[in-house]
Amino acid sequence: MRRSASLASLTALALVSLTAPTPAQAQARTQAPAAATQVVQPVRQAKGLQLEEVLASSRRFAPSILEALANARAADGRVLASEGAFDLLFTGEGFSRITGFYDGTYVQGKAIQPLTNNGGQIEASYRVSRGDFPVYEDYSFTDRLGELKVRGVFALLRDRYIDDRRFGQRNALIERDMAGLDALIIAIGVQQRAIQAYGQWVAAGQQVQVYRAQVQLAEDRQDGISRQVQLGARAAILLTENQQNLLRRQSLLVAAERDLANAAQRLSLFWRDNDGRPRVATPADLPARLPMIPAARATDPAAVLARRPDIKLIEQRLEQGETRLELERNRLLPSLRLFAEAGQDFGEQGLGGRSRDPFEAVVGFTFSMPLQNRAAKGQVAAAEASINALEWRRRQSEEQIIAEIEQLSTNLTAAERLAVLARDEEVQADKLAAGERRLFQAGASDFFLVNLREDAAANASIRRLDAEFRLAQARADLVAVAADLDSLQLTDDFAGVVQP
């Protein structure tokens, strides 16, 4: 009987050594609240699946990020399309009278180049004719080698600094930047959710280990009590009571394993194979520690506001609104256009006579002005109101971000303190449970009290895991709010979107 009790005691002590930290570990936990923690019983000695792998995989394969990047590429295409408004244009026309009194044939080619710094354009044309034309088509006559003409049109008031073509190009550039910011906002959200899913999976795996150790203790105790009942040293009712306790702990273990499987499914949305298909992590992939994402590099409100893509997005919308306002104010101006052209015929004199021979230079203008222009005035008022609304939105967003940073910083400080307290509580609960087991083996304690101590130790371990997870999540939330691209592993893909 004493030998059986001794074996049971050694088994219990060995199991306790797996769950209870050493004094050195307890001291390290107290001194380093943000450090990673050791699971109760590591599944394997290898590193397991690390947070960096999950973040790299989600950044590369998350469908929502890929969709946002595709939209950004579409915006690049629209920029190229807007530049098409300034493409060199070639036109040609011609006719020939095949019957009738006149036998004139006329061909003309013209190249038109819109100006990128003015609402006008430059034209170069060449035309040549043969035969005779009626007097009402006198313009068709040229000398034998045709006529070369150059013409320039320049806007002096309306369309001088901005017109529909230049507005379209500038607007496309702004929308391209906005598409990049949208993609970054989505990527930050995805990485934040990936960190949360990974932390939940690791914490669920560690909870399984806690409950598995509790089940193992109950199973070993069941064997010891069974031998003692057979020897008459214990009452048979004690065996039934321990069996009930074993079933309760097994139920907790099954529920924890269910939570682990569900957490692995959630994690698979972010951890994918090289073909982008979800990978379901197994218990063998669990790491030995719950990793802590590095703290945000800077939480100064001014530095955070300078990095936040949503603030940059509002600024881009403001720039877009100001560009629209500039275009609408342009439409209030009268249109005054200056044109100048020079032409020269070449070759022998044609049927049109000597009037075609000299060099010709012409200067002129066109002018128009709407007398009421209510449409443009209404658009100007609407654009000004939109800009004012965006300025108030930016102010509200900045105030919300500053308040969120303060709140998350407070939460992080509290989470660090709670993690320290939870670790200390776990150390004390493990000591009490281990001591109560020794007393029980020596016959100086009862079954009810030893189970109470073990349940308290298990609950302390679960609270410590929850505190560790909340600490890790508080850091991740602060990193996301601070738009720390380095910690979120987004620097390589989005370094040019928001400058630090």
Side-chain angles (χ1 to χ4, degrees):
M1 174 178 173
R2 288 194 300 271
R3 183 178 181 184
S4 300
S6 177
L7 289 173
S9 177
L10 289 174
T11 302
L13 289 173
L15 290 170
V16 168
S17 67
L18 293 176
T19 59
T22 64
Q25 290 173 331
Q27 183 180 5
R29 289 176 178 179
T30 304
Q31 294 176 351
T37 58
Q38 184 76 24
V39 297
V40 177
Q41 285 182 333
V43 174
R44 60 180 185 180
Q45 297 298 322
K47 289 177 60 178
L49 176 61
Q50 297 298 303
L51 178 60
E52 292 77 9
E53 300 177 55
V54 175
L55 291 177
S57 179
S58 63
R59 179 196 66 206
R60 183 180 176 189
F61 293 115
S64 53
I65 295 180
L66 297 179
E67 177 189 2
L69 293 176
N71 291 332
R73 292 195 300 273
D76 288 335
R78 289 190 289 272
V79 169
L80 180 60
S82 68
E83 294 172 352
F86 301 95
D87 286 349
L88 180 65
L89 175 65
F90 178 81
T91 64
E93 62 177 349
F95 65 88
S96 179
R97 285 183 168 83
I98 58 176
T99 61
F101 181 80
Y102 298 101
D103 61 350
T105 297
Y106 176 86
V107 177
Q108 175 181 267
K110 180 187 294 186
I112 303 173
Q113 176 62 65
L115 298 176
T116 58
N117 57 355
N118 189 278
Q121 60 189 31
I122 301 295
E123 304 173 4
S125 63
Y126 174 79
R127 60 194 186 94
V128 63
S129 64
R130 293 287 186 273
D132 196 12
F133 298 89
V135 65
Y136 50 81
E137 293 181 7
D138 183 71
Y139 177 77
S140 299
F141 284 107
T142 67
D143 283 349
R144 292 295 182 180
L145 296 182
E147 179 196 52
L148 181 64
K149 181 179 289 186
V150 177
R151 174 185 174 91
V153 181
F154 306 95
L156 301 182
L157 293 176
R158 184 192 298 174
D159 298 341
R160 181 177 181 182
Y161 298 108
I162 189 172
D163 57 4
D164 289 334
R165 293 175 302 188
R166 282 174 285 172
F167 169 77
Q169 185 181 34
R170 287 163 62 176
N171 190 62
L173 291 171
I174 293 173
E175 289 186 345
R176 181 185 65 183
D177 294 338
M178 291 169 59
L181 291 168
D182 281 331
L184 177 56
I185 291 173
I186 292 173
I188 289 175
V190 168
Q191 297 298 78
Q192 184 181 13
R193 293 192 298 273
I195 295 171
Q196 182 179 15
Y198 178 80
Q200 289 175 340
W201 173 69
V202 175
Q206 292 180 334
Q207 288 184 16
V208 168
Q209 300 306 315
V210 171
Y211 290 124
R212 187 168 293 159
Q214 292 292 302
V215 169
Q216 187 65 47
L217 284 173
E219 289 176 347
D220 292 341
R221 184 173 295 123
Q222 184 76 354
D223 294 338
I225 293 175
S226 178
R227 289 192 296 270
Q228 292 178 4
V229 168
Q230 292 175 0
L231 296 174
R234 297 280 186 178
I237 191 64
L238 187 61
L239 192 62
T240 303
E241 187 175 2
N242 189 71
Q243 180 66 30
Q244 180 187 16
N245 185 59
L246 174 60
L247 293 173
R248 182 181 60 83
R249 292 184 180 184
Q250 288 175 337
S251 298
L252 293 174
L253 176 58
V254 170
E257 290 173 341
R258 175 204 61 200
D259 293 340
L260 176 60
N262 291 336
Q265 289 294 333
R266 290 191 294 270
L267 181 62
S268 69
L269 297 177
F270 306 98
W271 187 40
R272 297 170 178 268
D273 60 22
N274 292 331
D275 295 325
R277 292 187 296 268
R279 293 180 63 183
V280 180
T282 66
D285 296 313
L286 283 166
R289 299 176 181 272
L290 176 63
M292 293 287 175
I293 192 170
R297 58 176 177 172
T299 55
D300 177 68
V304 171
L305 293 177
R307 292 197 305 269
R308 283 287 295 245
D310 49 348
I311 298 299
K312 290 287 187 181
L313 188 60
I314 295 176
E315 292 175 353
Q316 290 294 324
R317 294 190 186 280
L318 276 170
E319 183 179 352
Q320 192 177 41
E322 290 167 355
T323 305
R324 168 67 68 178
L325 178 60
E326 184 181 355
L327 178 65
E328 300 302 340
R329 286 175 174 171
N330 169 73
R331 290 171 177 166
L332 289 173
L333 299 174
S335 174
L336 177 61
R337 289 177 173 265
L338 173 69
F339 67 87
E341 63 181 31
Q344 176 69 59
D345 280 65
F346 300 94
E348 298 179 2
Q349 189 178 103
L351 296 180
R354 59 184 302 273
S355 62
R356 304 295 190 277
D357 293 341
F359 173 79
E360 293 181 347
V362 179
V363 176
F365 71 94
T366 61
F367 178 82
S368 67
M369 181 179 68
L371 298 181
Q372 291 180 303
N373 213 357
R374 289 177 292 183
K377 291 178 181 178
Q379 293 295 337
V380 167
E384 289 175 342
S386 297
I387 290 174
N388 185 250
L390 286 170
E391 288 172 344
W392 284 112
R393 183 191 297 179
R394 177 174 62 183
R395 177 176 174 179
Q396 181 183 15
S397 297
E398 290 175 347
E399 291 172 350
Q400 287 178 342
I401 291 170
I402 292 173
E404 191 174 3
I405 290 173
E406 294 297 329
Q407 180 182 356
L408 289 175
S409 298
T410 301
N411 291 345
L412 179 59
T413 302
E416 290 174 344
R417 295 181 60 189
L418 289 172
V420 172
L421 294 173
R423 294 177 193 125
D424 291 343
E425 180 189 4
E426 182 187 31
V427 170
Q428 299 305 318
D430 286 342
K431 288 181 179 178
L432 285 174
E436 202 65 44
R437 275 191 293 270
R438 287 193 295 269
L439 292 174
F440 180 76
Q441 293 296 332
S445 179
D446 57 33
F447 182 77
F448 173 78
L449 191 56
V450 74
N451 279 307
L452 186 65
R453 298 296 191 194
E454 289 177 350
D455 289 344
N459 291 334
S461 295
I462 297 301
R463 286 193 294 273
R464 188 262 301 170
L465 292 174
D466 183 68
E468 295 283 355
F469 170 72
R470 291 181 183 275
L471 174 57
Q473 192 58 41
R475 283 194 172 191
D477 291 342
L478 191 57
V479 162
V481 169
D484 190 343
L485 304 189
D486 291 336
S487 297
L488 296 172
Q489 295 193 17
L490 295 174
T491 304
D492 293 341
D493 295 330
F494 297 95
V497 176
V498 177
Q499 296 297 332

